[in-house]
Amino acid sequence: MMSTHLAILPLDIIDTLTARLNQENRPPGHATRFLRLPHPRTGVASLFFIHDQHAQDDTTKKSSILEVQAISPTNARTWFIGEEVVADGKLIVMTPMDPMFLLMYLLRVPQARDGSKGNFRPMQDIIEEVSTTIADASEKVAQKDPSLNVSSDDIISFLSLDFVQSSIKRVCEVKVITDEITVYRYSHDVVLENLKSKVGRLSDPRVAEMSRTLVRSLAKDGLMDDGKEELLELGRIKLACELLSQYLPRDILQELIASYDLSSLDAHVKTVRDEELALLAVAPDTRKRAKPAKSVAAGDKNQKRKKDTKATASADTNAADEGDKKKKKDAKSSHGVEKLKKANVAGMSKLSTFFTKKAE
């Protein structure tokens, strides 16, 4: 039973794959192809998907290549899709990629180690040398991890694709000897020129500001403020170089960045970072100095609260005493006592006379 994986890929590729799966009589050339090739930045074997999108008349096709990446969770995860449970919690992501980056890495292999440009050669000879050299080198690494093996067949298949062949001129110098003979030589200058064209397109405000992440990055460095237009333009260029860095070897990336004068931008960013560090250094001291003042203020408040409590208690006691006195003073006699007070006692004997002896 085939395992199920969850993947994210462009809509047009989903539509093409769905139509291809639903097609009963699929031509052999429409088979889905995965190739394992060296990643242009690291040289590590990576998986790529070749996508052929055929027109409705099935006479023309548009091909592209996608980088396949698996995002694995740190802990065990499970996907729930409808009524189905997918035990593998990985997420497969397929991203379109310019074949120029792969060509740039592959066609550098035949270069002489002394830094010389080398000779012009037919592309078939270059493909054979590249495929043999990389396949032999990967066999040693694949002994420990078979997934790192890059076969010569995959390299030959990639370099023989029509849309890849049309991109070779973006990394090589080309000479047409005769109608049947064309020779090629990898050119660092050609590569750098085409990379700078990419930087120009990516740094265009209409493209760069489509990404909220890029806009936040520019704003963080204070480049979105009024009067910083020149620095903002340099900031976009630097961000474009950083985007391309995902597919560039370190030496080519450094030369690409060095081809621009970013000194004023670097000075501005350094000033911003220094100010941030200065604020962070001052903030803890401010908090430490504020603590004793806060404690003293708290003590004053507690002392005042105690005094207020005592004063309130004393006031309550005095008020209670005065209330009791007033109550006693204002207390009314009973109705019987009031009547006796008004009675006429003239001629009556005192009550004490009833408790004395009578005279004989």
Side-chain angles (χ1 to χ4, degrees), residues 36-331:
R36 196 174 295 278
L37 303 168
H39 193 277
R41 179 173 60 87
T42 61
V44 177
S46 304
L47 196 62
F48 296 90
F49 173 67
I50 305 300
H51 170 58
D52 296 328
Q53 185 176 2
H54 291 260
Q56 293 183 353
D57 56 7
D58 209 30
T59 57
T60 59
K61 68 177 181 179
K62 180 182 178 182
S63 301
S64 59
I65 186 169
L66 292 87
E67 181 184 9
V68 182
Q69 295 176 304
I71 303 174
S72 301
T74 305
N75 300 319
R77 293 289 187 271
T78 301
W79 291 104
F80 292 90
I81 306 175
E83 299 296 327
E84 183 180 0
V85 178
V86 180
D88 191 344
K90 290 197 299 292
L91 178 63
I92 308 298
V93 181
M94 298 186 185
T95 310
M97 183 178 178
D98 190 342
M100 171 189 166
F101 295 116
L102 288 165
L103 283 171
M104 181 179 58
Y105 180 89
L106 295 174
L107 299 184
R108 291 179 75 190
V109 172
Q111 271 195 309
R113 294 186 177 181
D114 59 3
S116 60
K117 292 184 177 181
N119 300 322
F120 284 90
R121 301 165 60 188
M123 182 51 62
Q124 192 59 39
D125 293 350
I126 297 175
I127 291 175
E128 290 179 2
E129 181 179 352
V130 169
S131 60
T132 302
T133 303
I134 293 179
D136 291 346
S138 69
E139 283 183 3
K140 299 177 182 179
V141 181
Q143 291 177 358
K144 297 181 180 179
D145 187 354
S147 65
L148 298 178
N149 182 49
V150 178
S151 67
S152 59
D153 290 340
D154 282 357
I155 296 175
I156 294 173
S157 297
F158 171 72
L159 293 175
S160 301
L161 294 169
D162 292 338
F163 76 99
V164 175
Q165 289 278 327
S166 63
S167 298
I168 289 177
K169 61 184 179 182
R170 292 193 285 153
V171 297
C172 290
E173 296 178 68
V174 182
K175 282 187 178 181
V176 179
I177 307 301
T178 65
D179 293 341
E180 298 179 355
I181 301 176
T182 303
V183 291
Y184 304 84
R185 181 176 67 185
Y186 175 83
S187 172
H188 178 73
D189 294 336
V190 173
V191 169
L192 194 60
E193 180 183 350
N194 282 282
L195 288 176
K196 293 188 73 171
S197 297
K198 285 183 174 294
V199 170
R201 290 193 295 272
L202 291 173
S203 61
D204 187 292
R206 293 170 296 180
V207 177
E209 294 181 7
M210 288 176 62
S211 170
R212 294 182 180 179
T213 302
L214 297 182
V215 172
R216 283 197 296 267
S217 179
L218 294 170
K220 181 181 178 182
D221 293 335
L223 302 177
M224 302 295 289
D225 300 337
D226 294 336
K228 302 287 181 63
E229 287 75 14
E230 293 184 4
L231 290 175
L232 177 59
E233 184 178 354
L234 294 176
R236 294 195 190 102
I237 290 174
K238 189 173 183 179
L239 284 179
C241 292
E242 291 176 357
L243 290 175
L244 294 179
S245 68
Q246 304 300 316
Y247 304 101
L248 299 180
R250 182 179 295 274
D251 59 330
I252 293 182
L253 174 62
Q254 290 175 346
E255 292 191 31
L256 175 62
I257 295 176
S259 65
Y260 298 97
D261 184 7
L262 303 177
S263 56
S264 58
L265 175 65
D266 294 338
H268 169 77
V269 173
K270 184 179 183 302
T271 302
V272 173
R273 296 291 177 269
D274 290 343
E275 290 176 355
E276 291 176 353
L277 291 174
L279 289 174
L280 290 174
V282 171
D285 295 338
T286 304
R287 286 196 295 269
K288 289 178 181 178
R289 289 195 299 268
K291 283 182 179 179
K294 186 176 181 181
S295 301
V296 171
D300 292 342
K301 287 183 179 179
N302 292 333
Q303 189 174 0
K304 183 179 179 182
R305 190 180 294 112
K306 289 179 181 179
K307 290 180 179 179
D308 292 343
T309 303
K310 290 181 179 179
T312 303
S314 178
D316 291 342
T317 303
N318 294 336
D321 293 340
E322 291 178 1
D324 292 340
K325 291 179 181 178
K326 188 175 181 181
K327 285 181 180 178
K328 290 179 180 179
K329 183 178 180 181
D330 295 342

